[in-house]
Amino acid sequence: MPSIASQSSFKTLQRFSPDYAPCTITKYESERTGMSVVVVDREGPKVNGFFTLATEIHDDSGAPHTLEHLCFMGSKTYRYKGVLDKLATRAYSTTNAWTATDHTAYTLDTAGWEGFAQILPIYLEHVIVPTLTDAGCYTEVHHVDGEGHDAGVVYSEMQGVQNTQSELMDLRAKRLLYPENVGFRYETGGMMEQLRVLTADRIRKFHRDMYQPKNLCLVIVGQVDHADLLHVLDNFEDSILDDIPPPNGPFKRPWVDSDPTPLLERSVVETVNFPEEDETSGEIAIMFFGPSCNDLLGASALNILLVYLAGSSASVLENTLVEKEQVASAVYYSIEIRPKILVQFSLSSVAADRLEDVERRFFELLRETAANPLDMIYLKDCIMRERRMIKNSVETSSTPFSEPIIYDFLFAERDGSRLKADLSNMKEFDILASWPEEKWQSLINSWMADAHHVTILGKPSAILSKKLKSEEKARVEEQKKKLGPEGLKRMEKKLADAKAENDREIPKGLLEHFPVPSTKSIHFIETTTARSGAAKQLGRLDNIIQRLVDSDNAELPLFIHFEHVQSNFAHVSLIISTESVPIPLRPLLTIYLENMFTTPIERNGQRIEFEQVIKELEKDTVDYGISLGSAIGNPEVLVMRLSVEVEKYASAIQWIKELIWNGVFDLERLSSTTVRLLADIPEAKRSGSSMLDAVEEMVHSAPASIVRARSTLVNALYLKGVRHRLKTDPDAIINQLTEIRNKLFQFSNFRVAVVANIEKVAKPVSSWESFTAGLNTSKPLHPLEKRLSRISEAGRNPGKLAYMVPLPTIDSSFALSVAKGPSSLQDPRIPALMVALSYLDAVEGPMWVAVRGTGLAYGTSFTRHTDSGQISYSVYRSPNAFKAFQIGRSVVEGFVKGQTEFDDLALEGAISSIVLSFANSQATIAAAAQMSFVRQVIRELPEDWNERMLEKVRAVETEEIRTAMKDIVLPVLTAATANLVVTCAPVMEEELVKGFQDMGFTPEVRSLASFQDDYGMGVPEGAGIEDEDDEMEEEDEEEDDLDDDDESDVGKMGTSCT
């Protein structure tokens, strides 16, 4: 196959176009270095890069993870920390990276090819020829500060996860699944005890071994100039040949040339304790080995089986264990693509004293499923739906095919032959559809029911929680004692010296050498809007799609907003106003929405059970759901959505009608949903960041807020009251649900959004006639709720409130402060504020350098909440949130007082980042259509708002930015004008309270429970406890039954695949 550029060292190995996706995939390989390049050409404003190295290590040192961070600290030619990200920011780009067990990927996310091409060689040099200095390792990986505390960006990150339930269970599973000579056994992120002793030399050796061009694959997705790409890469190779090991030298390919993973010789069930004071519920993780990842047919069959077994509430495992027996709140499955695919089932929120019983029941169900007739109609529907979902994902994902390309590079032949065979078509689904029932039953047996497995029973332990806290406190005290005053001074000086070396000023001329690219290569996706019914009140349009819509039925009063795009699917959304729902009933929306698609319906006088409803829904759709309107910029409304093939547009409308008005409030279903939601609450309360947001919501939102009414800290009490009333007075709950339906689903509450190729839609307007039949269409359309109208007094006038919430399940701290901000995108201060926040939050910008760069937190960010008229500042996963907060304030004060000058080049980068954010919001056809709807309907902005805003942003003066920082940003860091919420490990409480007191806050230490609200539901005293006792007695009886049934099968532990 001829190369696109005959003089290039990169030769074309494969070029093909999948028959189900509008793109072309090309694979190149360098004849000089062996570097691989795979380009997925597709239209859109974004170009995304995934620069992937296969990485394998046989210890828990964390070298792969630390290297992922250190590569951003400078390179051979650009020997300055932050230069890569400063240049990337100017070129409409952001960088990031992740470390998986089997690879490390560096990402470049750019608006337009020109910016991507400018940054590409600089980025690759950072990856292949980084500086890897001792000073960089000291600040970025681990150090001890002048107060004797451990810090460092990587260390803080792992400190936040090492003792969590999921990490503890996952690590023990790795140890049981893989022997010592297999890299999948190890924690590549690094264990804290090993990060404390990891040396720069160990990291450098790992880089020499793994970071070679022959072990690198560039995956690039977007509109790419191939000739320019190969030219850039040829020049890059010229520049590094003297710095890399001989390209033809010996090289052991990670994973492929390594010892293979042996089959499990026996099944193992182990209990792993995790720190948690609430000891009521635990987790179960069950793992199996599946087929080879290079066996496309086998891997596809496995995926179909997993969907069949646990893909929805109608599937065998979910339906039995969650919906009927209610022994878990959910059954999830996941797949890890490895030479032998690893399959995991996770059972969440299982009663801690029933973990062993539920695990046995899981395998009993697998054996029963394999032994009895399968629902072949549903299984074949799963196959067809999977095919549809792949086609849909190609349209809706901004980076289609990136994941399979990465795994092909890791584990398949390097010539791309497997890649072409796997991605050219979807013929494997035709083969699977022809398989007989016996074939599927045999696979359930061989991969799951009869296979060896590893099960981890995650059990909460209050004792372990206290033990870890006391041990960590003692370790730090011993560390301080061992260092002594002089040693602490040495640590402080060593850290200061390292920071000084890392933070050497980047020569301005170096940055100026790279101009801000033109925006001509940024190809924004265009959509065409049409309106029908009440939507025409927003203005009449004149285009071919509008005329097509008008020709169908111009008289139907329903508000319908159409966005015409080139798509094979129709995405139908019903936006619903919530103002008519009485406030005391709004928490009940949690159950109402959760039950929407999993309840029986009445159809033609017959009751259709919920399992059949789900099966029919899945047969007709590629996606469905109902949620708050956060995705469209208004979380106070509800959005019901169905995505179908365009030919099934009318079916989507019929489904919406049936689910809204024909749903049955079935007592069994309501009880099941309530129990499941309650079971999830202890797990939700284990997350420091989630509970930070939950407390903030309770403080700053009024009871009228739908967001607040559905929060974890409301559900924790309210759902107990619902559970009690479902047992004692079920009609009362059913009547309330009926009232919600009647109040919610009124014509005046409805707005419809349709994203599709309208030219292919039969009857785009008149198809809705059956939906509106019988509705009172005479009432005017209710205005959409404004978030601003549903915030509390504390939210409207923040200042002085501060809450410290200790959580025994976390090892770090999180902080969030809130102050007043602009409440309209038309506010004249918005352009300057956008630039100010973009400038402060830039990667390697002022906040990054001051906080993350010094190891004080994994990250910080300012967020503008125009919908609620607020601005917030968050500190994520910090060893000391006060210090991160304090230094954030000092950074902003420096600009406000004129002590710190604005950097003109960084300001250009801030504006470029805003351009990138506009591109991010419309990276795919579906996203572009949604943003058009949001702009016109939700935000009521003019058509050219984006262009006008960019003009204003580019015209912002330095003094306007300083004013925005003084008037809007600094107040969110000031006690008198901001409210503060902190979640932290209990061992940090005292120090954090003192620190924030010194800043003028008056922190009140409170428990999570103190923020809970039952919205007047009320539970009679003792009722909750009695209910739980009753349930325990029932469970004991069920346990006896299970023991009787399973007694002969105790030793026959099966395995399951996901």
Side-chain angles (χ1 to χ4, degrees), residues 60-77:
D60 298 317
S61 66
H65 184 199
T66 58
L67 189 53
E68 170 222 312
H69 286 250
L70 292 169
C71 281
F72 292 94
M73 302 288 283
S75 69
K76 177 184 73 170
T77 306

Side-chain angles (χ1 to χ4, degrees), residues 44-48 92-93 109-112 398 521-525 912-925 927-928 931 946 950:
K46 300 290 296 298
V47 180
N48 294 91
Y92 315 119
S93 302
D109 186 355
T110 308
S398 61
S521 68
I522 305 175
H523 304 288
F524 286 97
I525 297 171
S912 295
S913 294
I914 294 170
V915 174
L916 175 60
S917 71
F918 279 48
N920 286 336
S921 68
Q922 44 195 303
T924 66
I925 54 176
M931 282 309 299
N946 285 0
L950 285 176

Side-chain angles (χ1 to χ4, degrees), residues 304 306-316 374-385 611-612 614-616 618-619 624:
I304 296 300
L306 295 174
V307 172
Y308 178 84
L309 290 170
S312 72
S313 296
S315 59
V316 177
L374 302 179
D375 184 343
M376 291 301 294
I377 294 175
Y378 178 53
L379 195 147
K380 290 186 178 181
D381 285 343
C382 290
I383 295 171
M384 299 306 295
R385 190 168 196 258
E611 293 93 343
Q612 185 60 33
I614 292 172
K615 289 177 180 179
E616 292 181 16
E618 292 182 347
K619 184 176 182 178
Y624 59 86

